[in-house]
Amino acid sequence: GSFTGAYERKIGRFELANAGSLLLDEVSEIHIDLQPKLLRALQEREIERVGGNETISVDVRIIATSNRNLEEAIENNSFRRDLFYRLNVATIHIPPLRERKDDIEPLVIAFIQEFAEKFNKPTPRISSDALELLSGLPWKGNVRELKNCIERVVLLYDVPVLTASHFS
């Protein structure tokens, strides 16, 4: 194999996503040395498997996310300008959760259901005082922080109603 443990052919993410979509979550964190390889794959619509010697055509729609300002990253020489313009076909700006207070209640309800099922527990209701508390928090970690908070509370408490006291 081309690397330790490579005893069989492994299909990579681009090849798996062929004729579909590939999410590059936090694209700003891709090391500057790897960015030209990504750019080439996007431009040429071709990849090579690690250790392979043939090119494979791929048709992949890329969805790239970042919580950093990529234009600032370009100025700081941590993100390639050409890759930015290759990815920047359509930009969707999603404000942080703290600016979308109306999204908190449906997210909380969905997460409660998700974790009650995951932990095989009855699904508790959420009180209005708990929702008021959660809506007033800054959620610097955005939806991930909210999700972790709900997971912790559902895991720790076997109650029919989650109140603000469960979140303190």
Side-chain angles (χ1 to χ4, degrees):
S2 61
F3 54 91
T4 304
Y7 301 110
E8 60 187 49
R9 182 175 77 169
K10 292 220 177 201
I11 295 176
R13 301 290 185 216
F14 269 84
E15 199 171 350
L16 285 169
N18 193 29
S21 301
L22 178 64
L23 173 66
L24 301 177
D25 193 21
E26 297 300 343
V27 71
S28 60
E29 303 305 314
I30 295 174
H31 194 276
I32 193 78
D33 294 340
L34 293 175
Q35 291 177 25
K37 294 176 184 183
L38 175 58
L39 179 62
R40 182 183 174 282
L42 296 174
Q43 285 181 189
E44 304 300 324
R45 296 178 170 245
E46 292 179 340
I47 58 164
E48 289 181 19
R49 286 193 195 110
V50 173
N53 56 7
E54 64 183 49
T55 58
I56 300 164
S57 294
V58 290
D59 178 20
V60 178
R61 175 185 28 237
I62 299 296
I63 302 167
T65 68
S66 178
N67 65 6
R68 289 180 46 208
N69 182 322
L70 292 180
E71 291 168 332
E72 287 177 12
I74 291 167
E75 296 305 316
N76 295 333
N77 296 317
S78 63
F79 201 81
R80 290 177 57 111
R81 185 177 304 278
D82 50 359
L83 179 56
F84 172 77
Y85 287 118
R86 176 58 62 185
L87 292 170
N88 193 27
V89 174
T91 300
I92 300 171
H93 174 74
I94 301 174
L97 186 58
R98 65 186 162 275
E99 294 176 16
R100 297 179 290 127
K101 301 288 185 185
D102 291 344
D103 290 351
I104 291 175
E105 182 175 355
L107 285 169
V108 166
I109 292 167
F111 293 150
I112 288 172
Q113 287 179 310
E114 176 184 338
F115 293 118
E117 287 176 20
K118 178 180 177 180
F119 301 129
N120 199 24
K121 292 182 161 196
T123 304
R125 293 186 332 273
I126 184 93
S127 69
S128 58
D129 68 323
L131 283 173
E132 186 177 327
L133 172 75
L134 295 173
S135 294
L137 295 175
W139 302 114
K140 293 180 181 177
N142 281 310
V143 176
R144 288 180 183 130
E145 181 184 5
L146 175 63
K147 187 173 184 177
N148 288 341
C149 173
I150 300 302
E151 181 176 16
R152 180 176 45 254
V153 169
V154 170
L155 179 63
L156 293 176
Y157 298 103
D158 288 319
V159 293
V161 179
L162 295 169
T163 65
S165 66
H166 295 110
F167 294 92
S168 56

